[in-house]
Amino acid sequence: MTNTAVVEARRRLGRVGAGLMVPIAPAEEWRRAVGRVEKAGFGSVWINEAIGGREAFAQLGVLLAASDRLVAGTGIANLWARHPAAMQGGAAVLADAYPGRVVLGVGVSLGAIVEGSGQKWDARPLRRVREYLDAMDASAEQAPKPAVPFPRLIAALGPKMLELAAERADGAITAALPVEHTRMAREVLGPDKLLVVGQAVVLETDPDKARAIARQVTNPGLPESPYDKALRRMGYGDEDLADGGTDELVDKRVPWGTPDAIAAKIAAHLDAGADHVSVFALTPDLEATTDQLEAIAPALVKLG
């Protein structure tokens, strides 16, 4: 049976999107940024969420209203930030208002973020996500019924969470891992699920400078990092992971260099089975992020 949400998402998303994973900025700056990335040719815009600050659905509403065609996705909406019925309802309201332009990525987040919000982290994330999806489904009758169903994706790095995404969602979101992880994720999901890969990039040709910036992602200083766990499952050991990773591993996780060099690494994820890659430039603010995305866009748009 054809999954309408996945078919529509693949058609509307295109191959590359713009990730705007930056700190708080005034709404007018966000409106300008989304207009610029839309004009640059990206198919989508993606945001993240901790707990508090930039609330995911309010933020999506701003970005959807400021653009004409972009698909807007959460990468991810934090399930610890809201009741499951509120997650279902929030996505449904926006999908009803902007048919075919909403993708809901849901994630279990990290223990440090959850504990920092005053909640108690559940050390069984797989069970937590499964129960949360059950509650979302149970509340669906109370929510609007969009003309174009919105795809629900799960943030998944390990095989068990990917299996849950294949079983209970329209696909998965992965991030910050080498191309071989994308290949594995596609194998677990199968051909009929949506696979979105979040990819940090550094527009810098000096190797030392580029890797120093990249290690902001590869060495976040979080205990029990799910990314380290995923890398260990892939065969990387202590020597590979120390201090943010060897130069070789950093290069596999965060493309850097010229726009064409970065685009070649993005193409490798697409060749490995990703439907869509959300590209986010590692910069300190929204304007700098948008500047770099505009600079990279001509090389990325060639990917289709």
Side-chain angles (χ1 to χ4, degrees):
M1 182 176 178
T2 301
N3 186 324
T4 303
V6 171
V7 171
E8 276 296 302
R10 282 175 170 161
R11 182 176 71 84
R12 292 172 181 266
L13 282 168
R15 300 292 264 168
V16 291
L20 298 180
M21 316 292 189
V22 295
I24 298 295
E28 189 52 41
E29 288 188 24
W30 284 97
R31 294 187 186 101
R32 288 197 299 270
V34 77
R36 289 170 64 187
V37 299
E38 182 171 46
K39 185 177 180 181
F42 288 96
S44 67
V45 60
W46 295 82
I47 59 167
N48 58 346
E49 181 184 45
I51 300 174
R54 286 190 292 114
E55 196 279 330
F57 294 128
Q59 185 77 1
L60 283 192
V62 172
L63 301 185
L64 287 162
S67 58
D68 294 323
R69 60 165 179 81
L70 285 178
V71 176
T74 54
I76 49 81
N78 193 323
L79 64 77
W80 292 87
R82 60 187 59 79
H83 189 279
M87 185 77 82
Q88 180 70 28
V93 166
L94 287 175
D96 184 45
Y98 298 95
R101 294 180 58 198
V102 174
V103 176
L104 176 65
V106 178
V108 74
S109 190
L110 302 171
I113 293 174
V114 174
E115 297 281 349
S117 74
Q119 302 179 79
K120 183 175 176 57
W121 169 251
D122 186 342
R124 299 166 296 181
L126 188 71
R127 177 178 173 179
R128 170 77 179 184
V129 173
R130 185 182 294 276
E131 291 176 349
Y132 194 91
L133 297 177
D134 288 342
M136 284 183 67
D137 291 344
S139 71
E141 287 302 314
Q142 305 167 36
K145 305 297 183 292
V148 180
F150 62 88
R152 179 174 72 182
L153 310 181
I154 298 175
L157 301 181
K160 291 184 179 179
M161 195 68 80
L162 284 163
E163 288 170 1
L164 181 63
E167 174 193 347
R168 296 292 308 279
D170 297 304
I173 298 178
T174 67
L177 291 171
V179 169
E180 56 259 41
H181 184 270
T182 298
R183 189 172 294 109
M184 180 275 291
R186 172 52 71 195
E187 289 174 358
V188 174
L189 289 173
D192 299 326
K193 299 292 183 176
L194 193 66
L195 177 57
V196 174
V197 173
Q199 180 61 71
V201 303
V202 179
L203 189 60
E204 171 60 64
T205 57
D206 180 276
D208 292 335
K209 291 180 180 178
R211 289 170 181 144
I213 296 170
R215 284 189 169 90
Q216 297 173 20
V217 169
T218 62
N219 188 26
L222 295 171
E224 299 296 314
S225 166
Y227 299 99
D228 284 3
K229 289 181 181 179
L231 289 165
R232 290 183 187 280
R233 281 191 293 265
M234 295 168 65
Y236 295 97
D238 291 341
E239 292 184 1
D240 301 302
L241 299 174
D243 300 319
T246 61
D247 287 350
E248 180 182 3
L249 181 55
V250 169
D251 293 352
K252 286 183 176 181
R253 295 182 67 187
V254 183
W256 54 268
T258 65
D260 284 339
I262 290 170
K265 295 293 184 67
I266 301 302
H269 281 290
L270 296 170
D271 291 342
D275 290 296
H276 187 76
V277 179
S278 168
V279 180
F280 54 101
L282 294 178
T283 70
D285 58 61
L286 185 56
E287 184 172 4
T289 292
T290 311
D291 288 343
Q292 290 202 10
L293 288 172
E294 281 184 328
I296 301 167
L300 294 177
V301 170
K302 294 176 185 177
L303 300 177

